[in-house]
Amino acid sequence: MKMLYKALISLSLFLPMLAWSTNHREGITLIQGTESRVMNLEELHTQANVSIAIYEPFRRDQISIQGIRLADFVSQHFEGTPDSIELQAHDGYTVVISNWQDQNWILMTHENDRPLTLRTHGPVRLVEEDLRNRDPNILRDFTEWVWMIQQIRAVE
């Protein structure tokens, strides 16, 4: 009986990880009001129309990325002009971006010509093209960068 109890506890802890893993492979969830839909990764990858090189402060390296500007993505997939955009990572980390129309924000889908995966902090990351005047050695200045995005919600 004790063994069955331990197995059930292990299973209850492991099942949510399996569910996220499956959803992660399917795509990201877009939410506006009471409506939601899953955008598959293939559709997202075909929209990656920006190719640039950026300095990635967490990797401390220059990388080439492909993606779509957040402003363009929101305009294409959400109705009206939301006040803010909430991005949620698979671990629950959430960032609300009120200046989402700033062309500096990029939803990154590829790194060095490869689609992002869970191992490379995908399927989508939010990054900035220009670090502006921030010191890349002070990582706390980049708390709005989000990895492993699983959900994007329009906040009215």
Side-chain angles (χ1 to χ4, degrees):
M1 188 65 157
K2 200 174 200 180
M3 185 70 138
L4 178 60
Y5 179 73
K6 285 182 179 179
L8 287 173
I9 297 241
S10 296
L11 189 59
S12 69
L13 294 172
F14 186 63
L15 280 177
M17 287 188 274
L18 285 177
W20 182 81
S21 185
T22 300
N23 291 341
H24 166 74
R25 281 187 228 112
E26 291 175 9
I28 59 172
T29 303
L30 307 179
I31 300 172
Q32 185 168 24
T34 59
E35 302 290 320
S36 72
R37 78 173 181 99
V38 175
M39 178 181 207
N40 70 49
L41 296 181
E42 188 175 297
E43 180 184 359
L44 183 63
H45 290 166
T46 62
Q47 293 182 13
N49 60 357
V50 174
S51 296
I52 58 172
I54 66 168
Y55 181 78
E56 218 286 12
F58 295 96
R59 297 196 196 288
R60 301 204 185 294
D61 198 7
Q62 191 83 12
I63 61 173
S64 73
I65 70 166
Q66 287 91 31
I68 182 170
R69 297 209 184 272
L70 180 61
D72 295 341
F73 183 86
V74 171
S75 296
Q76 289 175 21
H77 298 286
F78 294 96
E79 292 182 22
T81 306
D83 293 335
S84 303
I85 297 298
E86 179 185 89
L87 299 111
Q88 185 178 67
H90 83 91
D91 63 356
Y93 182 76
T94 302
V95 168
V96 177
I97 304 290
S98 57
N99 64 337
W100 61 267
Q101 293 174 318
D102 184 340
Q103 292 295 310
N104 199 39
W105 292 114
I106 297 176
L107 286 173
M108 179 179 156
T109 59
H110 295 74
E111 180 178 334
N112 298 328
D113 298 320
R114 292 191 185 110
L116 295 177
T117 65
L118 181 58
R119 289 179 189 251
T120 57
H121 302 126
V124 182
R125 284 191 238 159
L126 180 69
V127 299
E128 292 171 279
E129 179 175 1
D130 182 0
L131 302 183
R132 298 189 172 147
N133 294 330
R134 285 174 288 169
D135 181 350
N137 293 315
I138 304 173
L139 295 181
R140 71 176 172 267
D141 288 347
F142 298 92
T143 57
E144 292 179 322
W145 287 37
V146 185
W147 300 339
M148 298 185 237
I149 295 171
Q150 75 169 7
Q151 176 180 293
I152 301 174
R153 184 172 70 91
V155 180
E156 305 300 325

